[in-house]
Amino acid sequence: MLNKYARALFAAIFTPVAALLVRLRVSPDAVTIVGTLGVAAGALIGYPLGELFWGTVVITVFVFSDIVDGLMARMLGRSGKWGAFLDSTLDRVGDGAVFAGIVVWFYTGGNNHFIAAMALTCLVLGSIVSYAKARAEGLGMSANVGIAERSDRLVVVLVATGLVGLGIPEAVLAVVLVLLALASLVTVFQRIGTVRRQAHDPNLAQGQQKQGQ
């Protein structure tokens, strides 16, 4: 949902930033790496210290590097397999850091083991969601389906965590994480079902590949 409706808007907003960085001879890979380090710092330093709001602010600022580096790569004509691999891999590092930071805080100073357990569940299921798509593509098929894609999961958990940092009840984050875990589980089965159908119907697999291109 967010990829479809929001990416074009944010691309327009951050195009001047990307153009400036290109003029300054900053590489897209450097932006990708710095963005991941910023997300990890906000999550693994801010969250464990109980700074749920400010940690979320830092994470949100650096998350937008995911858009900026893509714009820069297209401006430089460097969109290719290496950039896609690096971007996708470091996205998972950032996502893992966000949920890990929540787990650490709520298992320690936050003292809410249910939220910690649900955050850990979301971390595991989110990894399976990503792996299912990557493995399908590695086998020459496609798994571009699901009700809980990466952008949706990240935005939902960041908004809920940031609001808890501002004082809303922790129960809100608990409910969000439960729903997110269920949505991720459904997405896993959706992707498994999609790949199974393609595996038994080569013509369907080819059609799915063309649609994803």
Side-chain angles (χ1 to χ4, degrees), residues 131-193:
Y131 175 80
K133 180 178 179 180
R135 183 58 175 155
E137 292 174 348
L139 294 171
M141 293 179 280
S142 174
N144 294 315
V145 297
I147 62 173
E149 295 189 356
R150 174 185 177 261
S151 298
D152 302 318
R153 298 195 305 269
L154 189 59
V155 168
V156 168
V157 75
L158 287 178
V159 169
T161 304
L163 290 176
V164 168
L166 288 176
I168 70 168
E170 291 180 356
V172 173
L173 178 57
V175 171
V176 165
L177 289 172
V178 169
L179 294 176
L180 191 58
L182 291 173
S184 298
L185 183 61
V186 170
T187 299
V188 169
F189 282 107
Q190 285 178 305
R191 293 188 171 181
I192 290 173

Side-chain angles (χ1 to χ4, degrees), residues 2-3 6-7 10-11 14 17 31-43 47 54-71 87 90-99 150-159:
L2 292 173
N3 283 336
R7 187 164 286 272
F10 286 118
F14 287 103
V17 176
V31 173
T32 303
I33 293 169
V34 170
T36 301
L37 291 174
V39 169
Y47 284 176
W54 289 112
T56 299
V57 170
V58 171
I59 293 167
T60 302
V61 169
F62 283 99
V63 158
F64 287 118
S65 66
D66 191 44
I67 296 174
V68 175
D69 60 9
L71 291 170
D87 192 54
L90 294 187
D91 279 349
R92 274 62 197 177
V93 173
D95 294 355
V98 169
F99 285 101
R150 174 185 177 261
S151 298
D152 302 318
R153 298 195 305 269
L154 189 59
V155 168
V156 168
V157 75
L158 287 178
V159 169

Side-chain angles (χ1 to χ4, degrees), residues 28-29 69-70 73-74 76-88:
D29 289 352
D69 60 9
R74 286 189 287 275
L76 293 168
R78 295 183 186 174
S79 298
K81 293 182 178 179
W82 162 248
F85 170 80
L86 180 66
D87 192 54
S88 180

Side-chain angles (χ1 to χ4, degrees), residues 100-125:
I102 295 172
V103 171
V104 171
W105 168 245
F106 283 102
Y107 259 133
T108 57
N111 195 30
N112 189 321
H113 291 183
F114 178 76
I115 289 181
M118 292 313 304
L120 182 58
T121 301
C122 289
L123 173 59
V124 173
L125 289 173

